[in-house]
Amino acid sequence: MALEYIKRQQRQLEKQRQLEAEKEAARIAKIEAEVRRQEEIAERKRLLLERQEEERLRQKHIQRKEKLAEQKWNNQFDALLTQIEDRTQKDNELQEIRFIVQNREPSLQELDWDSWLSDPLNQRLAYLDFEYAMEMFKRDNLMVKRRHGPRAKGRTQNGVLSFGGNTGDASRSHATTDFNPDDYNLNLGFTVSYWVRPDEVGNTMFAFGRKHASNQRFTFGINRQRQSYFGIGKNKLTTSWVNMDTPVEESLLVASGIYWNLKTDGTWYHMAVTYDDRSDTSSGTDRKIYVNGVLRHTNSINWSSTGGSTGGMYFGARNNADSWNNGWACALSEVAIFNTAKDADWVERVYNTNGPRRARTRNRALDLRNQTGLVGYWKFNEGSGTTVTDHSGNGNHATFGAISGGTTAYPTWDSTPFTNS
């Protein structure tokens, strides 16, 4: 009995210990679960704080970028305003320079720099653009020398007409005519004879002419400092003076490096272009170039296209589809156009009897007014006014053309000694 009791007591104690152990295990599990929950809460809080910090930094970065972008835009805007102000100032200065060039009176006598600056307009020009003012100063004195220099020997007539070329808007002087080569069928044969005094040489400069299209040229001038330009129909001859069939003598030219250019010291040149007569345009014919009475170059061309709507030719530049084009600072006299090809003897006779006086015999100028085939003849000897008379009887008188209506852009009468009839 006692043994059985003891065993029973032991079993009860064992069962009680097991229950207590289970309770302890449950308590520990509960504590561990709570710890894990608290850790999870803490982790979530940490992640939330990290995200909040990241968002704060991101927003700060965005704000900084926006601020930098705003600063950059402000800087760009300020720079743009500065550029606009600079451009406006330059445009205003350019307009003022153009006004000065249009309204200033070139000096009639050679001046030193200080005396030239005594003119308020010249002084203002030097303030606005010193280099351009120096060029105008040199040009004024150069023109004085050309008017009153070595050329002033011999008999003085009423002079010639001088054009301004491309130097500034105000110098684009020219004279317009109604003379259209198509009206006189010059593509079936012609002669063009003229005297020209180059006052500058450069790229693509025309003494006179007309162009309706690339196959309808009637243009006379220079292509480069060293090259001729004789544009007839679709052909344009741009051969160097020293590379022609019979080269122009170096004594008539001036060296510039390896090239030989027309002189700009007041030298006059006689140019003549003939296009052999023909009955139709089915085949080409010879175009001949003469310089100072000598046949220099011959080639066969076919001027077949005519009929363009462009008006008459310009003097001092080219009429390109009714627009001023590529002027030449030069002087012209005795421009004569015939609707037939003259021979070499005729060209030589004109060279030896008309034009500037030289040491050779030129006692009597040749009157071209009664010669066969004359369709246009401008002597340029009026000496005043704004009209150049066409002495051919066809009435294609030349009228001074101005830039934007300014009379200061007109060609100028030059009292150069010249034996035009």
Side-chain angles (χ1 to χ4, degrees):
M1 289 290 293
L3 181 60
E4 185 66 28
Y5 174 77
I6 292 170
K7 288 182 180 180
R8 190 169 52 249
Q9 287 294 323
Q10 288 177 344
R11 283 196 297 274
Q12 288 177 350
L13 288 172
E14 184 67 28
K15 187 175 181 180
Q16 186 176 359
R17 283 195 296 272
Q18 186 175 356
L19 289 173
E20 289 176 356
E22 289 176 356
K23 287 180 181 180
E24 181 64 20
R27 186 182 70 80
I28 292 172
K30 185 178 180 180
I31 292 172
E32 290 177 347
E34 179 65 20
V35 170
R36 285 195 299 272
R37 189 179 70 82
Q38 291 298 329
E39 288 177 349
E40 289 174 357
I41 291 173
E43 180 65 18
R44 284 197 296 272
K45 287 182 178 180
R46 186 185 65 79
L47 292 175
L48 180 60
L49 289 173
E50 286 182 355
R51 289 171 183 167
Q52 289 175 343
E53 180 65 14
E54 289 176 355
E55 180 64 19
R56 185 184 70 81
L57 294 175
R58 190 179 71 85
Q59 290 297 331
K60 185 177 181 180
H61 180 67
I62 290 173
Q63 292 174 357
R64 186 170 179 270
K65 285 182 65 177
E66 290 176 347
K67 186 175 182 180
L68 290 174
E70 183 179 359
Q71 290 176 347
K72 183 177 180 181
W73 163 249
N74 289 337
N75 292 337
Q76 291 177 341
F77 186 71
D78 291 342
L80 181 61
L81 287 178
T82 301
Q83 290 177 0
I84 293 173
E85 291 173 356
D86 291 343
R87 179 65 61 83
T88 301
Q89 182 179 356
K90 289 180 180 178
D91 289 344
N92 291 338
E93 289 179 354
L94 181 59
Q95 290 179 1
E96 187 174 359
I97 289 173
R98 288 175 176 171
F99 174 82
I100 291 172
V101 172
Q102 290 174 354
N103 289 277
R104 64 181 291 275
E105 292 293 337
S107 174
L108 298 178
Q109 59 183 349
E110 191 171 0
L111 300 174
D112 59 26
W113 175 245
D114 290 337
S115 299
W116 190 82
L117 286 178
S118 63
D119 185 327
L121 288 179
N122 293 341
Q123 190 175 31
R124 180 60 179 169
L125 181 61
Y127 173 78
L128 294 171
D129 191 329
F130 182 80
E131 292 184 358
Y132 187 74
M134 285 295 297
E135 289 300 319
M136 295 300 293
F137 165 69
K138 294 176 182 177
R139 185 178 180 86
D140 282 359
N141 282 340
L142 179 61
M143 294 304 295
V144 170
K145 290 178 180 179
R146 287 174 178 166
R147 290 188 180 101
H148 306 293
R151 291 196 312 274
K153 298 178 180 178
R155 180 168 59 92
T156 300
Q157 298 277 336
N158 289 332
V160 297
L161 192 59
S162 178
F163 301 91
N166 293 320
T167 307
D169 287 346
S171 65
R172 293 184 176 184
S173 54
H174 63 288
T176 65
T177 77
D178 290 330
F179 182 88
N180 186 331
D182 296 346
D183 294 340
Y184 304 99
N185 297 321
L186 298 191
N187 65 323
L188 298 181
F190 71 79
T191 296
V192 173
S193 169
Y194 62 99
W195 287 89
V196 60
R197 185 195 72 204
D199 291 333
E200 67 177 354
V201 290
N203 295 339
T204 319
M205 298 177 173
F206 300 132
F208 58 93
R210 170 189 182 272
K211 175 187 174 184
H212 174 72
S214 295
N215 60 354
Q216 295 187 40
R217 294 185 178 91
F218 189 72
T219 306
F220 307 86
I222 57 175
N223 187 57
R224 295 284 187 274
Q225 294 182 14
R226 65 186 185 277
Q227 294 176 342
S228 62
Y229 188 112
F230 300 106
I232 307 299
K234 66 180 179 181
N235 178 271
K236 55 180 181 179
L237 179 70
T238 57
T239 303
S240 297
W241 303 108
V242 294
N243 288 334
M244 292 184 168
D245 297 340
T246 300
V248 177
E249 294 80 4
E250 292 179 356
S251 60
L252 297 176
L253 307 170
V254 60
S256 177
I258 62 173
Y259 302 118
W260 289 90
N261 308 330
L262 294 180
K263 295 180 179 181
T264 57
D265 60 353
T267 297
W268 283 90
Y269 297 90
H270 179 250
M271 305 285 181
V273 181
T274 66
Y275 189 52
D276 284 354
D277 296 341
R278 56 181 179 166
S279 58
D280 57 54
T281 62
S282 59
S283 60
T285 190
D286 283 348
R287 186 259 315 274
K288 299 173 183 176
I289 308 297
Y290 296 81
V291 179
N292 283 8
V294 178
L295 176 60
R296 304 292 180 174
H297 201 82
T298 303
N299 64 322
S300 180
I301 63 173
N302 190 1
W303 177 12
S304 57
S305 295
T306 59
S309 60
T310 298
M313 70 180 188
Y314 290 0
F315 291 114
R318 177 174 69 177
N319 179 5
N320 185 12
D322 291 327
S323 295
W324 182 97
N325 176 241
N326 293 97
W328 187 7
C330 67
L332 286 174
S333 190
E334 292 287 325
V335 176
I337 303 176
F338 299 81
N339 64 1
T340 185
K342 301 293 185 179
D343 60 20
D345 290 340
W346 182 92
V347 174
E348 184 178 9
R349 187 164 64 254
V350 170
Y351 169 67
N352 284 322
T353 54
N354 287 30
R357 294 187 63 81
R358 298 185 181 178
R360 64 180 68 202
T361 303
R362 292 189 181 175
N363 296 323
R364 184 174 180 275
L366 184 65
D367 188 351
L368 304 179
R369 284 173 289 190
N370 297 320
Q371 294 203 359
T372 302
L374 184 67
V375 294
Y377 185 23
W378 301 267
K379 299 182 180 183
F380 295 93
N381 66 345
E382 284 77 4
S384 63
T386 59
T387 300
V388 182
T389 301
D390 174 14
H391 294 275
S392 71
N394 288 323
N396 292 310
H397 310 304
T399 303
F400 285 11
I403 301 302
S404 301
T407 57
T408 54
Y410 281 165
T412 56
W413 294 108
D414 191 336
S415 58
T416 301
F418 197 93
T419 62
N420 41 2
S421 58

